[in-house]
Amino acid sequence: MRIFQNVTAIAPHAHGFDASLDDGWRLRVRAMDDGLLRVVVEPATGLPVDRTWMVAPEGDVPWEGRSREATTGFAPPKVEFVRKDGEAVLTAGLFRLTLTWAPLRLAVAQWKDGAWREWFADRATGGFVREDHGRKLRHFQIRNAGDRHYGLGDKSGPVDRTGRRYRVLQLDALGYDAEIGDPLYKHIPYMAVQSNGIVGGMFYDSLAPSVFDIGAERSNYHGIYRYVEVEEPGLDLWLIAGPDIGAVTRRFTILTGRPALPPRWSFGFAFTTMHHADDANGQKIIADFAERCRKEKIAISAIHFGSGYSSRGKRRYVFTWNKDKFPDPKALLAKLREMGLPTVANLKPVLIDDHPDYAEVAKAGGFIKASDGKPVVEQFWDGMGSYLDFTNAETVGWWQRRFEKQVLDYGFVSGWNDNNEYEVGREDSIATGFGKPLDATSIRPLHALLMTRATFDATQSRDPDLRPFTITRAGPAGIQRYGETWTGDNSTSWHTLKWNLRNALSLALSGQSNVGHDIGGFTGPRPNPELLCRFVEMMALHPRAVMNSWKPDVAPDWTAATVPWLYPEILPQIRAALDLRTTFLPVIYTLAHEYHATGEAMIRPLFQEFPDDDAAYADQDAMMLGSDILFSPVVTEGATTKTQYLPKGPAGWIEYRTGKFHASGTHATVEAPWGHPPIFIRVGAALVLAASTPDMKPHDAPARRLYLALPPGSGKSTGRHFEDDGITWGLRRGAAMDLTIAIEWTATAVAVRLTAKGWTAGQASDWRVDGAGDRKVTLTIGG
């Protein structure tokens, strides 16, 4: 271990300063925007990877990556630099950075409420340390009592990460423990730190494995600290201004690329299971499932196919069809399309060693290679195989051609990028790097990102006016540019149900808002009726709601699958929970558009909306859907009521199911019958909800109603609603409605004014208005 001590040759310039460190290393600080400051510590040879694929201020990056030194997409602020005895101070935008040396350390303050407020400081005994003969770098900071830490993507445990050590590394973590398991599926080396009444973000732009120790380690010689270790020689740190968690999350999300806006049907309930496509009669079983959904009046929007359509025995061959199981796949997909069910195909990034295309791809150099130039052959989940190299333009082209021919041409509408954690272990593995070879073990997340992009772009090319949809299980910061994600192969238990809620909130605070969990649990025992119902309830108001299972120990055939009618005695409650999703889908879709436009998280911990309420920071089985809906799902076995803290700030809360008023800053205990999870609406909210809940294309339920959460007395407030055709890019041409809802109420009357940009608001003239009680309602339409 070597602590950086000396700082010499400090050279200020228009956008920051450079300085020399020990042994030829350099420190570079750049003000990139009012709320963005970049800090680089690098050896004389520079950072090991000279490009970034995660920083995308213009929305996306070239396939071959963006130069780390690029400034396009940013508006650098004016910089002031002052050097005093033993320190140098840079002031730029919302940041003030103080550099001291012997040893090297930084202290950073943020501007808030007309004054500088200290945010963090490096450890007094040294902020930057070389480990493993310079092959790793650690950044140590003082950890103050009361500091809170958020982010890191799909990590287990409480939303506040304080006290834990996490490894940022993609793994296929089947059946993980949602409270303590680590690492999981994503690579998001980002943490938001709340200290001294201010929040800021720290994004370490590296694709290499890293460790975030947020209080697990202690040393008597260094005080109380936290540290980040990056497993490569060099560190590229982006500091992101707040002052609150909402602002930090928005800035980080847009920094790593504007989120996609997928078609509206992707926000409806969907179904998949390996058991159906794996079965010898896969085509018939999937067709029968769709028919059963119609018979049972299940409000379903899409069917996702497990990879079994390409399997022979237990081995899966991506971009092939098993015609014994699926004798006429085009007819099947056409039938599902006629039933209003878009279909999504599971895809794998590995060709197992007897894949019919293996020799062709190997000859073209399309796999990750060893130092001898031969494909690296490693264990995949269904056999030995080789990972496709998505940093090779030829491989990308091959993937897209095969995807078009074997997936889209057959009638699927999109692809599901699965098992793409890229567990490349061989140390001499090399990726093509678009002409600049890279250590494949240090860029594993990049392949997941580019695999998802390849699928997204091919889908977009098929019909440029249709919005693409795709899914990925793994990937780094930036995967939101292409599609949705989920928390992977969760297990069936009440424990998972409880902690998955926090996993999703952590992802949302890390730029990944379009997220959900496998309903019923993917692996493990079959859920009992109560647990299945509560799983469906919890996912009713998450952005993604997909029922998915693989339970070979339950039964040897397709009957092992978790299906909505698994227990006929609770089917009415399952339907009620799915209808609840349909009811609130216009809100979810509006939030998806806002996420796409601004980076605003769709789901949020309570403290994000109510930062001044100390009680909102307590660990809770609840979340906010947008700013107005407090969702409090039941995650405890046997519970028939739920006690929920209702934050201070609003004039009160309305219990959605009963219309009962509850005071802010109190704990409310409410009934929670199966199928009806507790929902509380902020007083003054004006929500546009679905007025009907059809089981056919529920995402396109045509009727709308206006729900008003009105308390006793008088007041006024506003709301927002977004509407378009749900599937095309017509919104870019103004073919959409952005509706502002202004309401003013007294004890006897309610005045509602609707003002639209884009489409006329005339269609709202027949909307039913709920929540007004006996008050007289006047509806005025403008715009």
Side-chain angles (χ1 to χ4, degrees), residues 426-443:
R426 184 163 169 170
E427 292 181 346
D428 66 339
S429 299
I430 300 168
T432 304
F434 298 101
K436 296 181 180 179
L438 297 168
D439 175 0
T441 65
S442 294
I443 61 160

Side-chain angles (χ1 to χ4, degrees), residues 358 365-370 373-378 386-391 395 422 424 426 428-432 438-441 443-444 447:
Y358 188 95
F367 295 120
I368 291 174
K369 295 179 282 292
K374 297 179 180 178
V376 172
V377 179
E378 294 196 298
S386 298
Y387 283 96
L388 293 164
D389 181 1
F390 281 93
T391 68
T395 306
Y422 271 74
V424 179
R426 184 163 169 170
D428 66 339
S429 299
I430 300 168
T432 304
L438 297 168
D439 175 0
T441 65
I443 61 160
R444 286 166 47 175
H447 291 285

Side-chain angles (χ1 to χ4, degrees), residues 63-76:
W63 273 92
E64 63 272 17
R66 170 188 168 100
S67 168
R68 289 185 182 272
E69 305 311 314
T71 58
T72 54
F74 296 115

Side-chain angles (χ1 to χ4, degrees), residues 369-442:
K369 295 179 282 292
S371 55
D372 61 5
K374 297 179 180 178
V376 172
V377 179
E378 294 196 298
Q379 181 66 49
F380 195 53
W381 73 285
D382 59 349
M384 301 299 290
S386 298
Y387 283 96
L388 293 164
D389 181 1
F390 281 93
T391 68
N392 183 334
E394 294 298 323
T395 306
V396 173
W398 176 87
W399 175 273
Q400 292 182 325
R401 289 190 299 273
R402 297 295 284 165
F403 176 68
E404 291 166 3
K405 181 178 180 180
Q406 294 295 108
V407 176
L408 298 181
D409 284 356
Y410 273 78
F412 284 115
V413 299
S414 58
W416 161 13
N417 304 279
D418 201 9
N419 297 92
N420 54 350
E421 290 74 30
Y422 271 74
E423 294 191 25
V424 179
R426 184 163 169 170
E427 292 181 346
D428 66 339
S429 299
I430 300 168
T432 304
F434 298 101
K436 296 181 180 179
L438 297 168
D439 175 0
T441 65
S442 294

Side-chain angles (χ1 to χ4, degrees), residues 302-503:
I303 291 180
H304 301 188
F305 279 44
S307 58
Y309 69 91
S310 68
S311 70
R312 290 154 186 83
K314 294 185 178 180
R315 295 167 72 82
R316 286 146 212 280
Y317 302 83
V318 64
F319 298 139
T320 70
W321 281 91
N322 183 328
K323 293 297 183 71
D324 293 330
K325 295 192 292 183
F326 292 86
D328 193 349
K330 290 185 177 180
L332 171 63
L333 297 174
K335 176 181 179 178
L336 296 175
R337 185 167 57 249
E338 291 169 4
M339 297 176 70
L341 294 170
T343 49
V344 183
N346 185 281
L347 308 171
K348 311 293 187 192
V350 166
L351 301 193
I352 55 177
D353 52 15
D354 62 345
H355 192 289
D357 293 338
Y358 188 95
E360 173 195 344
V361 175
K363 183 178 180 180
F367 295 120
I368 291 174
K369 295 179 282 292
S371 55
D372 61 5
K374 297 179 180 178
V376 172
V377 179
E378 294 196 298
Q379 181 66 49
F380 195 53
W381 73 285
D382 59 349
M384 301 299 290
S386 298
Y387 283 96
L388 293 164
D389 181 1
F390 281 93
T391 68
N392 183 334
E394 294 298 323
T395 306
V396 173
W398 176 87
W399 175 273
Q400 292 182 325
R401 289 190 299 273
R402 297 295 284 165
F403 176 68
E404 291 166 3
K405 181 178 180 180
Q406 294 295 108
V407 176
L408 298 181
D409 284 356
Y410 273 78
F412 284 115
V413 299
S414 58
W416 161 13
N417 304 279
D418 201 9
N419 297 92
N420 54 350
E421 290 74 30
Y422 271 74
E423 294 191 25
V424 179
R426 184 163 169 170
E427 292 181 346
D428 66 339
S429 299
I430 300 168
T432 304
F434 298 101
K436 296 181 180 179
L438 297 168
D439 175 0
T441 65
S442 294
I443 61 160
R444 286 166 47 175
L446 176 58
H447 291 285
L449 181 78
L450 297 181
M451 174 189 180
T452 308
R453 180 176 185 173
T455 305
F456 177 92
D457 284 359
T459 307
Q460 182 69 93
S461 295
R462 172 55 61 103
D463 190 332
D465 196 42
L466 293 181
R467 301 204 302 266
F469 169 69
T470 190
I471 317 162
T472 183
R473 190 171 74 178
I479 56 175
Q480 75 274 3
R481 306 194 291 257
Y482 312 120
E484 73 179 27
T485 189
W486 83 108
T487 53
D489 295 341
N490 60 349
S491 58
T492 298
S493 69
W494 288 96
H495 181 262
T496 297
L497 183 67
K498 176 184 179 71
W499 290 99
N500 267 171
L501 177 62
R502 292 144 177 86
N503 303 156

Side-chain angles (χ1 to χ4, degrees), residues 24 71 94 108 151 178 213 315 323 477 506 540 565 600 630 649 697 750:
T71 58
L94 298 172
V108 178
D213 189 308
R315 295 167 72 82
K323 293 297 183 71
S506 176
W565 48 83
E600 186 75 68
L630 193 163
K697 293 187 176 181
V750 182

